[in-house]
Amino acid sequence: MSTAAIGFLYAGATLGAMLSGIPIAFALGFVALAFMYAFMPAASLDTVAQNVYEEMASITLLSIPLFILKGAAIGRSRAGQDLYSAMHAWMHRIPGGLGIANVFACALFAAMAGSSPATCSAIGSAGIPEMRKRGYSPGFAAGIIAAGGTLGILLPPSITMILYAVAAEQSLGRLFLAGIGPGFLLVALFAGWSVFRFRSEFAAAKLAYERTGTEHPILREDSYSMRERFSTLPRVLPFVVLLTGVMVALYGGYATPSETAGLGGLLALALIAVIYGVWRFRDLDPILTATLRESTMLMLIIGMSLLYAYVMSYLHISQAAAQAIVAMQLSPWVLLATILALVIALGFFLPPVSIILMTAPIILPPLKAAGFDLVWFGVVMTITMEMGLIHPPVGLNIFVIKNIAPDIPLKDIIWGTLPFVILMGVAIVLLCLVPGIALWLPDLLLPTTR
C-alpha cells in the first residue's frame, strides 16, 4: 500500500475514532496501536512503553503538572474574586469600566493560573453576575469572560506554549516572551470592544429612559472612595508579586522552567495558606486532587499524541504530507493562510494540546522552509487555537460559561463571543503585518538564543 493511501486511511481512522465519542487520549492511542500492528514490524508493539517514555522524557514537560498545581491553588481560592473586585474599584469611572475590569482581571489571572477554563470559572463566577446586575446584556457579559479566559494559553506561563516548544524544538523562554506583546494587543482590542459595546447599550438604555421614564441598571454609577480602592490591594498584590517573581526567576536565568514552575507552585500554596487560611488537609485535598486529575489527563493525552506522531513519522506519513505541501509551491502567505485554516477547522473538535502534537510534524517543516520564524508562528498558532476555545460547535470556554451561568441561553453566549473571534482574527493580521509585536521582546532580552 502506498504512503498516500496509508496516510488517508490513518486520517480517516482518526476522524472515526474522534467522532465515536472515545476520549481523545484513548482514540489517538487506539489508532496508533492499530496501525503499528497492521503496518509496522511485530516487535514494535513490544517497544510502545519505551517509545512513549522516551518521547515524554523531557525536562520541559515536567513543568506542566507544577504549573497546573499553581493554577489549581490560585483558581480554587478567592484570588479571582479579589482580583476582579480590585480591578472594578479602580476602573469604575471609565465608560465600560466594569467590562474592562473583567478583561484585565482575566489577563492577570490567566498569567497567574495558566489555564483558560480556570480563568473563565474564577473571574466569571464573580464578574458575570456583577455585569448583569449593572445592566450588561447576558451575551455581552458572557463574551467578555469567555474571550478573556482564552488569554490563559497565550500569556506565560502557558501550558500550550510549553508543548509547542517541545514539538517545534524552540526556546521556551523566547516563546513565553513572544506571547506577552500579542497578549497586551488582545487585551487592548477586547477592552476597546467592551467600551464600544457598553456605549451602544448605554445609549439605548438612556434613550429608553427618556421615552418611558424606566431607569435601566446600566445607567447607575458606582462610587468608590480612595480608602475603599486601596483596601482592595492587600489581597491582590502578593499574587502580582508572585507572578513578577516567577517571571524574573525564569528570564533572569536564576531557574529553569521546571524549577520556576515548582517555585511558583510552592509559593502559590504558601500565599493561599497565609491570605485565605487554606492549609488544612480538607482544604488542600480538592486542590491536590484537581491537580492530579488534570495532570494525569493532560499527560495521557500528550503521551498518546506523541505515540500517534511517532507512528505517523515511522510510516512516513508526516514527511510525505510535508513534501506534498512543499510541492504545491504555494506562496508563503497562502501557505500560512492554508495552515491556519486547517488549525481553525481542527479547533472545532480538538483541544490545543492535540492540535499541536498531531500537526507539528506536518506543518512546521514547510513553514520553516518558507522562511517563517517558528517562535512567531507559535504565537500566531496559539491565537488561532484561542479562537477554537470560543467558536462553536465545541468551544470549551462556551460550555464553561454555560456551566457557571446556566440561565444564559447558549445562543446568546455564542453571539456574545463572535465579535471577540473577529478581534482575534484582526490580531493575527496585525501580527502578520508587524511581526515585531511578538518578536521585539525576545529579541531584546534573549538575542543570543535565536
Side-chain angles (χ1 to χ4, degrees):
M1 187 178 294
S2 67
T3 301
I6 295 175
F8 282 115
L9 187 61
Y10 201 58
T14 303
L15 182 60
M18 293 290 184
L19 296 178
S20 70
I22 301 174
I24 292 173
F26 296 114
L28 296 177
F30 172 77
V31 172
L33 289 174
F35 275 73
M36 288 179 75
Y37 177 80
F39 298 102
M40 293 171 62
S44 63
L45 290 172
D46 298 331
T47 64
V48 169
Q50 178 183 346
N51 288 333
V52 172
Y53 174 80
E54 289 178 352
E55 294 286 345
M56 295 185 68
S58 167
I59 193 66
T60 304
L61 291 179
L62 176 62
S63 62
I64 291 178
L66 297 173
F67 277 129
I68 289 175
L69 173 63
K70 180 168 77 76
I74 296 173
R76 290 180 175 265
S77 69
R78 283 185 50 83
Q81 296 181 22
D82 288 341
L83 180 61
Y84 160 76
S85 299
M87 289 292 178
H88 176 44
W90 284 92
M91 296 183 178
H92 71 282
R93 290 187 178 275
I94 304 172
L98 183 57
I100 297 174
N102 278 280
V103 171
F104 275 84
C106 283
L108 284 174
F109 193 87
M112 291 189 293
S115 168
S116 293
T119 302
C120 280
S121 180
I123 304 299
S125 60
I128 289 179
E130 287 297 318
M131 284 189 283
R132 296 181 68 186
K133 187 169 68 176
R134 286 167 174 78
Y136 284 58
S137 63
F140 180 29
I144 289 175
I145 299 299
T150 64
L151 297 170
I153 68 171
L154 179 63
L155 294 171
S158 163
I159 293 173
T160 300
M161 289 285 197
I162 295 172
L163 293 175
Y164 180 84
V166 173
E169 298 181 348
Q170 297 296 309
S171 165
L172 180 59
R174 282 184 61 81
L175 276 164
F176 276 178
L177 287 173
I180 294 176
F184 285 148
L185 173 63
L186 284 177
V187 168
L189 291 174
F190 293 170
W193 169 254
S194 298
V195 173
F196 175 80
R197 178 67 183 270
F198 172 83
R199 288 183 179 275
S200 175
E201 294 193 356
F202 183 89
K206 188 175 182 180
L207 182 61
Y209 175 70
E210 292 173 351
R211 288 178 175 177
T212 65
T214 303
E215 185 173 359
H216 194 277
I218 202 171
L219 301 176
R220 191 176 75 244
E221 295 185 3
D222 293 325
S223 178
Y224 291 89
S225 66
M226 290 303 296
R227 181 177 181 180
E228 289 174 326
R229 293 184 190 180
F230 279 102
S231 68
T232 63
L233 297 181
R235 289 187 171 225
V236 174
L237 285 180
F239 291 99
V240 176
V241 172
L242 166 64
L243 172 63
T244 304
V246 167
M247 293 298 104
V248 169
L250 178 61
Y251 299 122
Y254 301 108
T256 66
S258 298
E259 292 168 346
T260 302
L263 175 66
L266 291 176
L267 290 179
L269 289 174
L271 283 178
I272 64 172
V274 172
I275 297 175
Y276 301 106
V278 179
W279 57 270
R280 299 175 183 84
F281 178 77
R282 67 173 180 270
D283 299 323
L284 293 175
D285 181 60
I287 295 173
L288 299 177
T289 301
T291 301
L292 183 61
R293 181 182 297 114
E294 186 173 347
S295 298
T296 302
M297 177 190 69
L298 189 56
M299 296 304 284
L300 188 60
I301 292 175
I302 293 171
M304 293 300 101
S305 296
L306 290 171
L307 179 64
Y308 180 89
Y310 164 76
V311 174
M312 196 161 49
S313 176
Y314 186 94
L315 297 176
H316 296 282
I317 297 172
S318 54
Q319 296 92 323
Q323 290 171 2
I325 293 174
V326 172
M328 294 171 67
Q329 296 183 340
L330 300 174
S331 68
W333 294 111
V334 173
L335 172 66
L336 178 66
T338 303
I339 288 175
L340 292 181
L342 171 65
V343 173
I344 290 175
L346 291 175
F348 282 120
F349 56 91
L350 285 178
V353 173
S354 297
I355 293 175
I356 289 174
L357 297 175
M358 290 172 60
T359 62
I362 298 174
I363 65 176
L364 294 183
L367 286 169
K368 189 173 182 179
F372 288 105
D373 186 296
L374 294 187
V375 170
W376 171 86
F377 175 73
V379 174
V380 173
M381 185 177 183
T382 299
I383 297 176
T384 306
M385 291 186 295
E386 281 185 340
M387 296 167 68
L389 291 172
I390 60 173
H391 72 54
V394 197
L396 177 60
N397 285 10
I398 291 176
F399 294 100
V400 173
I401 297 299
K402 183 62 179 175
N403 184 57
I404 62 177
D407 59 319
I408 301 180
L410 189 61
K411 179 183 71 173
D412 290 350
I413 298 175
I414 292 173
W415 280 109
T417 61
L418 286 181
F420 295 96
V421 174
I422 295 172
L423 290 175
M424 289 178 185
V426 171
I428 291 173
V429 172
L430 290 175
L431 280 169
C432 292
L433 296 174
V434 190
I437 295 173
L439 296 178
W440 74 271
L441 194 55
D443 283 348
L444 177 66
L445 298 181
L446 299 175
T448 59
T449 60
R450 188 172 180 180

